[in-house]
Amino acid sequence: MGEERRKTKLIFTLICACFLATTTIRVQAQDQSGFTSIDCGSTEAYTEEVTGINYVPDTNYIDSGQSRNIAASYNGGSLDKHLGTVRSFPDGVRNCYTLRHNVNTVNGTRFLIRARFMYGNYDSLNQVPEFDLYIGVNLWTSVKLDDASSVTTVEMIYLARLSVMSVCLVNKGSGTPFISALETRILDDTAYVLRVTGSINLVTRANMGSGSKNRYRFPDDRYDRIWEPTEWSNGVSYISTNESVYINNGFNPPKAVMSTAVIASTSFGIVDQSSDTDEGSSQQYYSYFHFSEVQKLAPNQTRAFNIYLDSNEFFYGPFQPVYLGMNTLWSVNPHFTKRYNFSITGSVNSTLPPTLNAYEIYTYNAWPQSNTNVMDVEAMDAIKSSYGGGKIWQGDPCAPLNYSWEGLNCSFKEFDPPKIVGLNLSSSNLKGAISVSISNLKSLETLDLSNNSLSGAVPEFLASMTSLRFLDLSNNNFSGTLPPTLVTKSNEGSLTIRLDGNPTLCLSNTCNQPKTRSKSSVKVPMIAAIVAVICILLALVVVFLVYKKKIFRGGPDSTIIVAGFHFGGSSRDILKQKQWFSYSEIIKMTNNFQKVIGVGGFGTVYFGFLDDIQVAVKMLSPSSSQGYKEFKAEAQLLTRVHHKNLTSLIGYCNDGDHLGLVYEYMANGNLEAVISNANAHFLTWKDRLMIALDAAQGLDYLHNGCKPSIVHRDVKPTNILLNENFQAKLADFGLSRDSLANEQEYESTVVAGTLGYLDPEYCRTQRISEKSDVYSFGVVLLRIITGKPTSVSTGDTQIHVSGWVEQLISTSGDVKTIVDERLQGEYDINSAWMAIELAKSCVSSPSVNRPTMSQVVYDLKQCLQMEIANNNGEGHTRGRNAEASSIFLPLDTDSEPSAR
């Protein structure tokens, strides 16, 4: 073929392993650290005798379905053990396995995922079913089995973007779905690279030169790909070598496969293969051809050939394989055809016939459907955790379109992730209070909680749900008084509320006796409306008198800060709903500044009492111009952010030259003081995880719960405060800045923060983003895990704690050398490993490889859940219960993970 013709054909990538000795392979031979092997329906963990693969039962990955055994007549001979059991799903349309990726492998790592199915007449019906298999919210394939004894294996390769993946079986009315085994494997970064989003589904992976029935997988293949033997018709022969083939590229097929090959009968002969599509329509195919020259050629011998697709479409050539080397030919662009076939033909100057060792064929599987909005997913997970079972809520809440969770109504708009707009939990046997997590469904328009046993007061947060238009609370056990804001919204017509069937619920404070309302919507009586108006007028008069008093007490020279501007003259109460204090009140409150409890970003912090309530008072240093800017930033921020893991602002002082902020008092000081304490062994591993989770949730709120998002810029242990129950709250927002909404853009700033916790990338670029906070939090997490300061002494040198951890992982791989020795080994090893990996991912470089704080929160919940499970929910904690939800993919608890 001419040079011009080759230039116009497919773009190809040629990987010659014999020349790429520097290629990094992440998964080592015999190492199963990148494996997840689930025997569906099994009740025990075991090691498969032939492969040595460690299988685990599926109970930690799914909470529905039935465990069944295949019929004895089908379970015998050389059948793989994991095919002897199945999990079937007679109930529900969609049932999903939840798989949790390792924290340092998300967002850019390729996974192989394989599902296997053998019916084996497990249900004694002798009717082979047909059903759909989904990966997340997108269709993977339709599972069709030939008969009861056949084994169907489906496999795909995809690029992970999220730390959690669901595999869902969908009943489409053609029999009960079931599954025998589910497996995932981490692949090398350089293999199977695509230019498009989605996955590739395996059509064929063939060992060409075996000439036998040998099938290869792990441990011959480090990624546990299954290489099936291929039978050939006349016109070909087999060659092999006893020499070792040098393999060192990202595809890394087994040496046993690459040491054999098939060759054509003549030098110009043809090696070809074809495959029909199931659908009979055009498909996008990706081809991977693996070559190794296994014959030592004489000086006058040459082997060169061309590769064609569809018999006449040139793919590449002339190509000469390398002796005992490894070559993979592949294209980043797909090949479109209805009937796939390829042929390899000897070139004009070749003296030897063409050869082929192995090949892989995949079809492209587009993923058009987006996952549900992340905040909605997290909210629904929390709601599910609060109210427990009853409904089969698995996989993505909204998608795919026809399989949303029962009781949900979702909005699907082009290019936007689905959002939850309706939640119907009527007659769901709910008890207790309304879950506060419902307030995180920001797009919710209708909420039906009727006909349950919910009790307590109707929460105020329902009125703050700006999208809510319909609320049904009828036929429950609510008591107390309906929040006035809800009454107001009902009167204005912006919200329809149903309350009948709550005999002890009153519409206003004037209610003296229980009332039962029969009307479907709240209709406040005229008298109540008049009373409400009078109360409002009286309240305004009181506020006006108090306001005048505050102005007088503040003095004519008072200065207030609002939205970045200074208003001279009389004070204005811009810290809405925050109490104003005169300087004399501050002196009395702090007993003339008697007890210093800390130093903040812009001044000293004093202990005080407001009536009988302990408070912390932070006063601005008069000589600090930078402190004034930080005071202004913190005052402005704390008026608009409210979260259980952020310190609460009670009031402020703006009296002449005296500026100060009054906070809730945190009885147990800051995290640095606690973790540095020589006697800090009382802070258990569970305590540490709960503190880390608290801080992460506060930071996640700043990043994702505020619009625009807020970057803290000074996350460190001294800015993490602990209350009397050791609940952690972020503090000191003087350096905080608004971030741009588009995470691909950054705002240039003057670098600010604390050495050791300061993001090196931020220092270098002076561009701020949420990922800078993630780095700082990663260092904090290392501080919590190790008990070490940011700078660790190693002989005559000092090294950052992150580097120190990396050294220990690479040398000993022993978690006990990393975790704070004061814990004396009292922690779940898998939980500790996961926390270490999470911290490592947070401090990784470049910043794009770091997780979001939402991912960090999720991972810490899994760490905590593992620790709780290990101790059966027991163990010493400092006065509160842990929050843990979701299902985690646990490591093998029989042995400690090897070094990463």
Side-chain angles (χ1 to χ4, degrees):
M1 296 297 168
E3 181 69 20
E4 188 63 27
R5 184 179 182 185
R6 286 194 295 272
K7 287 183 178 180
T8 61
K9 296 300 178 179
L10 293 174
I11 299 173
F12 70 92
T13 302
L14 172 61
I15 302 177
C16 295
C18 52
F19 299 113
L20 294 180
T22 59
T23 303
T24 300
I25 304 298
R26 178 164 50 206
V27 183
Q28 300 301 317
Q30 310 300 323
D31 180 15
Q32 297 183 45
S33 61
F35 287 19
T36 300
S37 308
I38 304 172
D39 185 341
C40 303
S42 175
T43 58
E44 62 176 1
Y46 61 88
T47 299
E48 191 86 69
E49 290 184 7
V50 176
T51 62
I53 296 174
N54 301 320
Y55 282 87
V56 297
D58 63 353
T59 50
N60 286 333
Y61 309 100
I62 195 163
D63 54 11
S64 62
Q66 300 176 357
S67 177
R68 306 290 294 272
N69 297 317
I70 65 173
S73 58
Y74 293 96
N75 193 0
S78 59
L79 186 72
D80 293 334
K81 183 174 181 179
H82 59 262
L83 298 176
T85 59
V86 304
R87 181 167 292 275
S88 68
F89 302 96
D91 300 319
V93 176
R94 181 177 63 151
N95 291 266
C96 301
Y97 281 83
T98 300
L99 304 181
R100 176 72 175 79
H101 298 326
N102 193 298
V103 293
N104 68 333
T105 63
V106 296
N107 196 16
T109 294
R110 283 169 184 80
F111 278 78
L112 176 151
I113 178 168
R114 179 165 54 231
R116 306 196 77 194
F117 308 87
M118 181 181 174
Y119 172 58
N121 198 25
Y122 75 87
D123 55 4
S124 301
L125 298 177
N126 204 28
Q127 296 179 357
V128 179
E130 181 179 330
F131 48 91
D132 285 340
L133 190 66
Y134 277 75
I135 179 79
V137 299
N138 289 284
L139 179 66
W140 178 353
T141 187
S142 292
V143 178
K144 303 174 183 178
L145 294 88
D146 295 330
D147 51 51
S149 61
S150 64
V151 177
T152 296
T153 301
V154 295
E155 186 177 304
M156 70 158 53
I157 293 173
Y158 75 102
L159 193 68
R161 296 297 184 190
L162 302 173
S163 59
V164 177
M165 177 192 68
S166 58
V167 176
C168 303
L169 295 91
V170 173
N171 190 329
K172 58 181 184 180
S174 300
T176 300
F178 75 94
I179 185 170
S180 302
L182 187 59
E183 304 164 335
T184 66
R185 314 294 189 232
I186 299 176
L187 300 174
D188 188 86
D189 289 338
T190 61
Y192 307 103
V193 177
L194 302 178
R195 287 181 173 176
V196 291
T197 58
S199 64
I200 51 176
N201 293 356
L202 180 67
V203 176
T204 303
R205 183 183 295 115
N207 175 19
M208 302 297 294
S210 64
S212 68
K213 299 293 185 180
N214 291 338
R215 184 184 72 165
Y216 294 100
R217 60 180 298 185
F218 188 83
D220 296 288
D221 188 306
R222 67 178 61 187
Y223 304 131
D224 190 36
R225 291 163 298 187
I226 299 175
W227 299 83
E228 300 286 356
T230 301
E231 293 294 331
W232 289 84
S233 58
N234 296 333
V236 298
S237 58
Y238 301 98
I239 57 175
S240 63
T241 181
N242 293 323
E243 300 291 332
S244 179
V245 176
Y246 180 71
I247 298 175
N248 195 30
N249 75 1
F251 292 95
N252 201 42
K255 289 186 177 182
V257 171
M258 296 308 297
S259 63
T260 62
V262 64
I263 60 172
S265 57
T266 64
S267 61
F268 201 68
I270 296 176
V271 175
D272 61 2
Q273 187 64 286
S274 63
S275 175
D276 287 319
T277 65
D278 290 337
E279 291 79 6
S281 58
S282 291
Q283 295 269 4
Q284 300 182 53
Y285 286 89
Y286 286 88
S287 308
Y288 301 87
F289 299 100
H290 306 292
F291 297 98
S292 176
E293 179 59 77
V294 297
Q295 288 183 326
K296 180 70 173 177
L297 304 188
N300 62 343
Q301 290 180 313
T302 59
R303 192 191 310 277
F305 44 82
N306 300 312
I307 303 174
Y308 297 88
L309 302 178
D310 283 346
S311 301
N312 59 4
E313 183 174 330
F314 181 76
F315 182 76
Y316 185 69
F319 173 71
Q320 292 180 271
V322 179
Y323 178 59
L324 299 182
M326 163 67 193
N327 311 97
T328 297
L329 291 175
W330 56 289
S331 172
V332 295
N333 293 323
H335 172 63
F336 290 83
T337 185
K338 290 184 178 180
R339 177 178 172 83
Y340 178 88
N341 67 84
F342 69 86
S343 60
I344 304 176
T345 306
S347 64
V348 175
N349 297 322
S350 178
T351 62
L352 295 175
T355 182
L356 177 62
N357 304 74
Y359 73 91
E360 300 173 77
I361 306 299
Y362 296 83
T363 56
Y364 174 60
N365 185 21
W367 287 5
Q369 177 65 63
S370 298
N371 294 283
T372 299
N373 176 274
V374 173
M375 293 190 67
D376 283 4
V377 172
E378 293 177 350
M380 288 307 302
D381 284 342
I383 294 168
K384 178 181 177 181
S385 178
S386 298
Y387 291 135
K391 298 179 183 294
I392 300 179
W393 278 359
Q394 298 174 357
D396 189 276
C398 287
L401 177 61
N402 296 325
Y403 303 109
S404 299
W405 286 3
E406 180 186 354
L408 292 192
N409 185 23
C410 300
S411 169
F412 293 84
K413 294 183 179 179
E414 190 175 11
F415 305 122
D416 291 335
K419 295 181 180 179
I420 297 172
V421 296
L423 176 59
N424 184 351
L425 294 177
S426 177
S427 303
S428 297
N429 196 31
L430 306 184
K431 299 179 181 179
I434 296 178
S435 173
V436 70
S437 300
I438 291 177
S439 65
N440 292 326
L441 298 172
K442 303 302 183 183
S443 300
L444 195 66
E445 298 174 2
T446 63
L447 175 61
D448 188 347
L449 299 175
S450 62
N451 302 307
N452 287 293
S453 299
L454 295 169
S455 58
V458 175
E460 183 77 30
F461 67 72
L462 292 172
S464 64
M465 299 177 66
T466 56
S467 298
L468 195 62
R469 298 291 178 266
F470 177 83
L471 175 63
D472 192 345
L473 302 178
S474 60
N475 298 314
N476 279 283
N477 298 317
F478 292 112
S479 59
T481 303
L482 190 69
T485 47
L486 283 176
V487 175
T488 300
K489 294 186 74 170
S490 176
N491 290 336
E492 292 173 347
S494 61
L495 177 64
T496 299
I497 312 176
R498 292 180 177 174
L499 294 172
D500 52 293
N502 291 280
T504 59
L505 180 64
C506 294
L507 292 185
S508 70
N509 289 324
T510 60
C511 285
N512 294 318
Q513 296 180 353
K515 297 179 182 180
T516 301
R517 296 167 178 80
S518 58
K519 292 185 178 181
S520 62
S521 299
V522 174
K523 300 296 183 181
V524 180
M526 184 63 69
I527 295 176
I530 296 172
V531 171
V533 171
I534 294 173
C535 290
I536 292 173
L537 291 175
L538 289 174
L540 288 174
V541 172
V542 173
V543 169
F544 175 75
L545 293 175
V546 173
Y547 180 64
K548 287 187 67 178
K549 183 178 180 181
K550 294 293 185 182
I551 293 176
F552 178 77
R553 291 165 64 186
D557 298 324
S558 296
T559 301
I560 258 314
I561 305 163
V562 56
F565 297 95
H566 293 175
F567 290 84
S570 299
S571 298
R572 301 185 184 184
D573 188 5
I574 54 86
L575 292 176
K576 296 179 181 178
Q577 299 181 356
K578 305 300 180 184
Q579 190 170 354
W580 183 92
F581 299 103
S582 68
Y583 185 61
S584 61
E585 288 177 314
I586 294 294
I587 293 175
K588 181 180 179 181
M589 191 183 302
T590 60
N591 196 17
N592 200 23
F593 306 107
Q594 181 181 35
K595 183 178 179 181
V596 176
I597 58 175
V599 178
F602 57 76
T604 305
V605 185
Y606 303 90
F607 175 78
F609 277 94
L610 177 58
D611 297 325
D612 295 327
I613 301 173
Q614 295 176 318
V615 294
V617 181
K618 185 190 294 187
M619 298 300 296
L620 172 66
S621 173
S623 61
S624 174
S625 59
Q626 178 61 31
Y628 180 78
K629 295 179 181 179
E630 295 179 18
F631 173 90
K632 178 177 69 173
E634 185 154 1
Q636 291 173 334
L637 185 144
L638 288 175
T639 61
R640 65 185 181 96
V641 299
H642 307 280
H643 190 271
K644 65 178 181 178
N645 296 122
L646 303 180
T647 50
S648 298
L649 181 65
I650 296 174
Y652 65 100
C653 172
N654 179 44
D655 193 350
D657 295 329
H658 304 290
L659 296 174
L661 298 174
V662 181
Y663 301 88
E664 64 177 326
Y665 176 67
M666 304 296 282
N668 281 302
N670 65 67
L671 175 61
E672 178 62 27
V674 174
I675 208 73
S676 299
N677 190 337
N679 298 317
H681 61 274
F682 70 85
L683 206 58
T684 66
W685 179 247
K686 184 177 176 182
D687 293 328
R688 297 178 189 222
L689 289 178
M690 293 173 75
I691 289 171
L693 177 58
D694 285 338
Q697 289 177 153
L699 204 52
D700 180 42
Y701 171 78
L702 293 179
H703 290 184
N704 300 302
C706 300
K707 300 298 179 185
S709 60
I710 296 170
V711 182
H712 188 283
R713 291 212 299 170
D714 198 18
V715 179
K716 57 185 178 181
T718 53
N719 286 339
I720 297 174
L721 305 183
L722 307 173
N723 68 11
E724 67 275 11
N725 294 323
F726 278 78
Q727 180 185 17
K729 301 191 179 189
L730 278 180
D732 204 338
F733 303 96
L735 297 180
S736 300
R737 294 285 296 273
D738 286 350
S739 177
L740 298 184
N742 186 346
E743 65 181 10
Q744 301 300 324
E745 301 181 69
Y746 302 90
E747 181 180 358
S748 180
T749 66
V750 177
V751 175
T754 302
L755 291 178
Y757 297 93
L758 198 57
D759 177 15
E761 184 171 303
Y762 173 37
C763 293
R764 184 176 66 256
T765 64
Q766 297 187 20
R767 292 185 299 179
I768 190 173
S769 78
E770 290 91 342
K771 291 300 180 74
S772 298
D773 279 351
V774 175
Y775 176 91
S776 301
F777 181 83
V779 181
V780 170
L781 187 55
L782 289 174
R783 183 84 175 93
I784 292 172
I785 294 169
T786 66
K788 301 290 184 183
T790 57
S791 181
V792 182
S793 177
T794 57
D796 297 331
T797 60
Q798 294 286 324
I799 186 173
H800 192 268
V801 64
S802 60
W804 177 76
V805 169
E806 285 285 0
Q807 282 187 1
L808 290 179
I809 290 177
S810 62
T811 53
S812 70
D814 186 354
V815 70
K816 294 178 182 178
T817 64
I818 300 172
V819 178
D820 194 339
E821 60 184 13
R822 292 174 293 182
L823 292 173
Q824 299 179 355
E826 294 183 0
Y827 48 82
D828 178 75
I829 290 177
N830 293 327
S831 173
W833 266 120
M834 186 180 180
I836 293 168
E837 295 284 8
L838 174 60
K840 283 175 54 186
S841 68
C842 288
V843 300
S844 62
S845 183
S847 61
V848 69
N849 293 332
R850 299 169 194 163
T852 64
M853 285 310 301
S854 295
Q855 292 171 313
V856 171
V857 168
Y858 188 94
D859 293 338
L860 284 171
K861 287 182 178 180
Q862 311 316 310
C863 293
L864 186 56
Q865 185 177 2
M866 295 170 72
E867 174 64 12
I868 293 172
N870 182 58
N871 293 290
N872 295 319
E874 300 174 355
H876 178 60
T877 55
R878 305 299 295 180
R880 61 194 176 112
N881 294 321
E883 296 177 274
S885 62
S886 303
I887 302 171
F888 174 67
L889 172 60
L891 298 169
D892 183 1
T893 55
D894 293 331
S895 60
E896 185 169 303
S898 58
R900 270 42 175 185

